[in-house]
Amino acid sequence: MDWIEQAADWAGVRLEPAQRRLLEEYRDWLREEAIPAGGLGPHEAARLDQRHLADSLLFAGGWQRETPPSTVLDLGSGVGLPGIPLAIIWPESRVTLLDRAGRRVQLARRAVRILGLDGVAVVQGEAVSRDLRAQMVVARAVADPTTVLAWARRLLEPGGLAVVGGSHEEKPDALMGEEIIEIPAEILDHRIWLRIMAAA
């Protein structure tokens, strides 16, 4: 099963060969460096394509606009998920990876250098204490949705959009002003939900 291509198709993304190669290079780096350094769990090597790369590409499907966002802020990015895959498919976007853990920030900076992603900045700090703004704010398994969406409201530019991902067996309850999109189970072999909120 080509999880990456399947997720890209669902998200409406046409992967160029060079983008696919960069995603695979990033996957290899995750396996060879990030996992041994503790950036991802020790059992993640066997499911990097499905659980991490393909899952990250699904966030592009939450954008639902004709042109990519000019700026993307990835909250709690860790070693670059979903921010680095989004930067690969949207090379014109300026992507900021924000995380509070110094070790993960160092790993993400190394990945950005290795992949040659000039449009990506890696910042260490807390979402609540940073003066950052973006057209799109994304978060993947960072904190409870209420907390993440409260951060996103403050960080979104006018007209921007927040996309928060997570796995649930049942459809989660929508918060005020939020849309919830289900990714069909066959895309990643389990149910994923995207919570989408427009800037006030």
Side-chain angles (χ1 to χ4, degrees):
M1 179 73 70
D2 190 338
W3 302 111
I4 292 173
E5 196 66 43
Q6 196 158 272
D9 285 346
W10 180 87
V13 173
R14 182 179 178 274
L15 286 176
E16 300 293 340
Q19 293 172 325
R20 180 61 189 248
R21 285 194 298 272
L22 268 181
L23 287 168
E24 291 171 354
E25 189 176 342
Y26 179 48
R27 175 196 61 208
D28 294 343
W29 176 85
L30 289 170
R31 180 186 298 112
E32 294 163 11
E33 290 198 41
I35 290 175
L40 288 174
H43 303 296
E44 297 303 301
R47 51 186 184 175
L48 287 171
D49 278 11
Q50 179 184 8
R51 186 177 176 90
H52 298 289
L53 297 183
D55 182 270
S56 293
L57 294 177
L58 296 175
F59 283 76
W63 179 243
Q64 298 179 340
R65 299 182 184 179
E66 288 187 14
T67 58
S70 58
T71 51
V72 178
L73 174 59
D74 181 2
L75 301 180
S77 183
V79 292
L81 298 158
I84 286 178
L86 293 176
I88 289 171
I89 63 169
W90 290 334
E92 301 305 315
S93 301
R94 297 286 303 173
V95 177
T96 300
L97 312 179
L98 177 66
D99 201 275
R100 63 183 179 183
R103 179 177 58 177
R104 288 179 178 162
V105 164
Q106 290 174 357
L107 284 167
R109 285 179 178 149
R110 177 161 169 75
V112 167
R113 283 195 306 273
I114 289 171
L115 297 170
L117 300 175
D118 296 333
V120 179
V122 185
V123 177
Q124 184 174 358
E126 301 275 355
V128 293
S129 63
R130 304 300 302 199
D131 186 22
L132 297 169
R133 292 279 191 187
Q135 193 177 23
M136 182 182 189
V137 174
V138 297
R140 179 178 179 263
V142 175
D144 69 272
T146 303
T147 300
V148 174
L149 289 171
W151 293 339
R153 280 189 184 94
R154 191 174 60 79
L155 300 167
L156 279 172
E157 294 176 352
L161 203 67
V163 181
V164 178
S167 301
H168 302 277
E169 283 302 313
E170 300 298 327
K171 183 176 181 179
D173 294 329
L175 303 172
M176 183 74 72
E178 179 189 46
E179 176 188 4
I180 295 182
I181 295 178
E182 178 184 1
I183 289 86
E186 61 269 17
I187 300 297
L188 291 186
D189 200 27
H190 60 284
R191 298 178 88 184
I192 299 284
W193 306 88
L194 293 179
R195 312 179 78 116
I196 300 171
M197 184 195 71

